[in-house]
Amino acid sequence: MAFKIESVDPGSPAHRSGIRAGESLVSVNGNPIGDVLDYRYHTAEQQLDIVLADGDGNQRTVHVRNRNYLPLGLNFSTYLMDEKRECSNHCVFCFIDQLPSGLRDTLYFKDDDMRLSFLLGNYITLTNLSDGDIAKIIRMRISPINISVHTTDPKLRVRMCRNKNAGKCLDIMKNFADNGITMNCQIVLCPGLNDGEALRATLTDLESLGEAVNSVSVVPVGLTAHRDGLYPLRSVDSAVARDVISTVTEFGDHRLYKSGSRVYYASDEFYILAGLPLPDAEHYEDYPQLENGVGMVPLLMDEFFSALKLLDPDGISVPPPFSIATGEAASSYISGLVEKAREAFPGLSCTVYTVKNRFFGGDVTVAGLLTGSDYLAELAGRELGQRLLIPANSLRYDGELFLDDMSISGLEEKLNVKIIPVPSDGGALLDALLGL
């Protein structure tokens, strides 16, 4: 297989060696290149013999010296060099299956690609892995691998993922553990399926893998209002949330005593659903499962209070009245932080608005899934002051569009207010409150 080179970074080792756009990469040091993992693995050498082909199939070999192990500098048409691998599961809890119609096509794509797990931190189910893929992970020491476990019971996992290959999960993980591959794991908790004794059995199996399991998060299933014809699931209620927290804490406390690291974590949402106080920031160590909503609120609060201690109220003038809008899950915590800021800066005038998710409906309460239409429905006609602060994670990666494709400038025009997206960082939130 050969991959056409779209561009070459100026000044890179490849550019200095005379490699140019338009040629195709065939092999490196005699190793055929099949994807981005092959490319990165085989180019991490100081001496490279690179075989290239022109448009007519004529080949030439270029020798590249790269004493400082710099990136080679070749760019291809896609990040992975080939296409993303689509998920072959039909999980009973799949959030993408619960999306309303009419959204942009990219939102409906389900990836389950081991390369994205290693390179971008995506979670994979292992059902797409061939024996060759497993051998490649072990040979190349592709670690950590992020795995959506859900349950280690083979029959239950096949039922939940609706894929006959899903029952091989624990065997594959044991193979990884035996070969020194580190794993981060997540469990989407579905009441009546993988909770209770099933959850306890899963955590016991993961504990048997020892230090190969770096972290485990348990997160509640998210149910939208768009579930017609889908598997009947029920939401996590307070009783289930408390039971999950108790089980996960038991395993975490045991592992902390045993090895000095907690490893097992329940997401913030469980504590909110249970009506229990969130653990202190120290509970989460180095936040290994932050992207799964584990410790996000405690970290935000810890950063906020740390930043607040550094400020001199006498040297800061409070800004004109403004407002904040956020999702139901975080609203009370944001209101609490605003009150703490007001105690330090008595003239601070800020109104916090709780935005209900009407677009997805169901029990979706996180700010990251709020749409422009949700903000508009809640805030139209409200007194918003001179600025409106919103969580930056409500916007897609380019910072311009919401999930419903409404632009931030379009929402500004409809609400007649300047909108300030604020990153999920306590210091950034405090700066935004004070107009710094």
Side-chain angles (χ1 to χ4, degrees), residues 275-320:
L276 296 175
L278 285 156
D280 294 334
E282 291 76 12
H283 175 89
Y284 300 95
E285 299 173 15
D286 59 351
Y287 296 92
Q289 291 274 352
L290 192 63
E291 294 303 314
N292 273 327
V294 176
M296 290 186 71
V297 173
L299 177 60
L300 180 76
M301 297 173 68
D302 186 59
E303 292 170 336
F304 185 92
F305 291 126
S306 295
L308 188 60
K309 291 177 182 178
L310 299 177
L311 294 181
D312 178 10
D314 294 331
I316 297 175
S317 299
V318 298

Side-chain angles (χ1 to χ4, degrees), residues 41-94:
Y41 183 78
H42 292 301
T43 58
E45 301 287 345
Q46 289 185 324
Q47 304 289 334
L48 304 172
D49 286 320
I50 298 176
V51 176
L52 304 164
D54 63 19
D56 296 322
N58 300 312
Q59 294 188 356
R60 71 186 182 103
T61 300
V62 175
H63 183 73
V64 178
R65 299 176 66 185
N66 189 10
R67 293 179 178 176
N68 295 320
Y69 297 99
L70 298 172
L72 185 58
L74 302 182
N75 302 302
F76 305 91
S77 60
T78 66
Y79 176 73
L80 295 174
M81 297 176 64
D82 63 352
E83 298 301 319
K84 289 187 292 186
R85 296 181 185 177
E86 190 167 7
C87 182
S88 59
N89 305 318
H90 303 280
C91 297
V92 297
F93 52 81
C94 180

Side-chain angles (χ1 to χ4, degrees), residues 23-284:
E23 297 183 287
S24 295
L25 175 65
V26 178
S27 67
V28 178
N29 288 345
N31 299 290
I33 302 300
D35 61 16
V36 66
L37 293 184
D38 292 332
Y39 171 73
R40 292 196 178 191
Y41 183 78
H42 292 301
T43 58
E45 301 287 345
Q46 289 185 324
Q47 304 289 334
L48 304 172
D49 286 320
I50 298 176
V51 176
L52 304 164
D54 63 19
D56 296 322
N58 300 312
Q59 294 188 356
R60 71 186 182 103
T61 300
V62 175
H63 183 73
V64 178
R65 299 176 66 185
N66 189 10
R67 293 179 178 176
N68 295 320
Y69 297 99
L70 298 172
L72 185 58
L74 302 182
N75 302 302
F76 305 91
S77 60
T78 66
Y79 176 73
L80 295 174
M81 297 176 64
D82 63 352
E83 298 301 319
K84 289 187 292 186
R85 296 181 185 177
E86 190 167 7
C87 182
S88 59
N89 305 318
H90 303 280
C91 297
V92 297
F93 52 81
C94 180
F95 193 83
I96 294 177
D97 287 343
Q98 304 178 69
L99 296 179
S101 60
L103 300 177
R104 55 184 177 272
D105 290 343
T106 54
L107 293 177
Y108 299 104
F109 182 81
K110 307 175 187 178
D111 76 78
D112 194 7
D113 198 311
M114 70 168 188
R115 298 163 300 181
L116 294 176
S117 176
F118 177 63
L119 296 171
L120 299 180
N122 293 17
Y123 278 76
I124 60 173
T125 64
L126 306 181
T127 58
N128 266 348
L129 296 186
S130 66
D131 290 342
D133 292 328
I134 294 171
K136 184 175 186 176
I137 289 171
I138 293 171
R139 183 178 72 255
M140 291 186 176
R141 309 290 297 174
I142 297 172
S143 183
I145 289 288
N146 300 320
I147 301 173
S148 292
V149 176
H150 310 314
T151 178
T152 53
D153 180 285
K155 290 183 179 179
L156 178 57
R157 197 165 193 269
V158 168
R159 178 184 173 193
M160 292 186 69
C161 294
R162 293 193 287 193
N163 185 319
K164 63 182 181 181
N165 293 321
K168 303 175 183 178
C169 175
L170 186 58
D171 289 338
I172 295 173
M173 293 180 70
K174 287 179 178 177
N175 193 5
F176 286 160
D178 290 342
N179 286 278
I181 303 300
T182 300
M183 294 163 280
N184 295 305
C185 305
Q186 71 170 358
I187 297 168
V188 175
L189 197 288
C190 301
L193 284 177
N194 62 339
D195 58 341
E197 288 305 311
L199 174 62
R200 181 172 291 276
T202 295
L203 297 183
T204 299
D205 284 338
L206 295 180
E207 180 67 13
S208 73
L209 299 179
E211 294 186 2
V213 174
N214 179 63
S215 66
V216 179
S217 66
V218 185
V219 302
V221 62
L223 304 180
T224 77
H226 307 275
R227 292 194 52 82
D228 291 345
L230 299 180
Y231 188 97
L233 292 174
R234 60 186 176 90
S235 301
V236 172
D237 59 20
S238 176
V240 170
R242 286 173 177 263
D243 184 60
V244 169
I245 291 170
S246 176
T247 299
V248 173
T249 301
E250 176 189 334
F251 275 81
D253 287 347
H254 173 74
R255 186 61 177 271
L256 183 65
Y257 176 79
K258 179 180 176 182
S259 67
S261 179
R262 179 165 294 278
V263 177
Y264 302 93
Y265 302 93
S267 71
D268 296 359
E269 197 169 354
F270 276 112
Y271 291 90
I272 295 170
L273 290 169
L276 296 175
L278 285 156
D280 294 334
E282 291 76 12
H283 175 89
Y284 300 95

